[in-house]
């Protein structure tokens, strides 16, 4: 019934999808740490980005346009000694200043084991200058290591624009 009809102002499907990886191992302790360095957009052969993609500075991610975004954190850890739990957090701001925990995952095991955590949330980006996200880690005691690599997604973040806000 709509053959030959031109419709403007309607965007169908996902218009932005992007992944960033942690490129090298780092250790964090019970004092907590933002993931603020050694981040790179995925660039291994066969991987890609749809649309403009995110920008990143010191671990703070800026969205390319307004909309509803699915933000995901997938991290691999090597549990250190004396660690009972690891807390992976997605933090968001709506004023480009004060960050709140918007999603978190607890995971844990005895020392010497590899384990994964996956955390996700939806973020309503109403203003690209003020709405941003970052990723944070904490542990109950001791220290643990984020397992990372510059050529494969061991620890990475996925951003998908789902639609208009």
């Amino acid at each position: 019934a709509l053959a030959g009809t031109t419709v403007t102002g309607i965007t169908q499907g996902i218009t932005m999808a992007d992944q960033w990886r942690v490129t090298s191992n780092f250790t964090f302790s019970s004092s907590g740490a933002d993931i603020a360095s050694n981040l790179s957009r995925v660039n291994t052969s066969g991987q890609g980005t749809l649309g403009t993609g995110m920008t990143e500075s010191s671990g703070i991610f800026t969205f390319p346009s307004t909309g509803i975004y699915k933000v995901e954190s997938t991290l691999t850890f090597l549990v250190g000694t004396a660690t009972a739990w690891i807390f992976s957090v997605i933090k968001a701001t709506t004023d480009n200043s004060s960050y709140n925990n918007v999603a978190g995952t607890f995971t844990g095991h005895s020392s010497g084991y590899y384990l994964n955590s996956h955390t996700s949330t939806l973020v309503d980006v109403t203003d690209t200058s003020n709405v941003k996200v970052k990723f944070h880690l904490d542990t109950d005691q001791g220290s643990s290591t984020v397992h990372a690599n510059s050529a494969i997604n061991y620890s990475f973040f996925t951003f998908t624009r789902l639609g208009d806000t």
Side-chain angles (χ1 to χ4, degrees), residues 57-165:
S57 177
S58 299
I60 296 173
F61 286 87
T62 301
F63 297 90
S65 62
T66 60
I68 303 293
Y69 287 80
K70 185 174 184 182
V71 177
E72 301 173 88
S73 167
T74 304
L75 298 168
T76 301
F77 303 103
L78 176 57
V79 179
T81 57
T83 301
W85 54 259
I86 297 170
F87 187 41
S88 305
V89 185
I90 299 173
K91 293 180 169 260
T93 180
T94 58
D95 64 6
N96 196 25
S97 177
S98 302
Y99 283 83
N100 296 309
N101 295 350
V102 295
T105 303
F106 279 97
T107 189
H109 203 288
S110 301
S111 63
Y113 285 87
Y114 284 98
L115 53 96
N116 293 85
S117 76
H118 180 82
T119 310
S120 72
T121 191
L122 298 179
V123 177
D124 186 0
V125 180
T126 56
D127 179 344
T128 58
S129 297
N130 287 310
V131 180
K132 298 173 191 269
V133 295
K134 65 181 179 178
F135 303 91
H136 184 84
L137 298 170
D138 205 351
T139 184
D140 65 325
Q141 57 188 342
S143 63
S144 291
T145 300
V146 171
H147 185 64
N149 190 292
S150 63
I152 188 170
N153 287 2
Y154 288 139
S155 294
F156 59 97
F157 311 114
T158 304
F159 305 89
T160 309
R161 186 181 185 279
L162 300 175
D164 296 337
T165 185

Side-chain angles (χ1 to χ4, degrees), residues 19 21 42-49 151 153:
Q19 283 190 321
R21 67 171 58 115
V42 296
N43 59 359
T44 306
S45 179
Q47 292 179 301
T49 300
N153 287 2

Side-chain angles (χ1 to χ4, degrees), residues 16-61:
M16 197 286 289
D18 195 10
Q19 283 190 321
W20 287 70
R21 67 171 58 115
V22 182
T23 59
S24 60
N25 293 357
F26 71 90
T27 301
F28 62 97
S29 66
S30 60
S31 58
D34 289 341
I35 301 175
S37 61
N38 300 317
L39 296 164
S40 175
R41 177 173 280 121
V42 296
N43 59 359
T44 306
S45 179
Q47 292 179 301
T49 300
L50 174 65
T52 303
M54 303 292 288
T55 56
E56 179 271 333
S57 177
S58 299
I60 296 173
F61 286 87

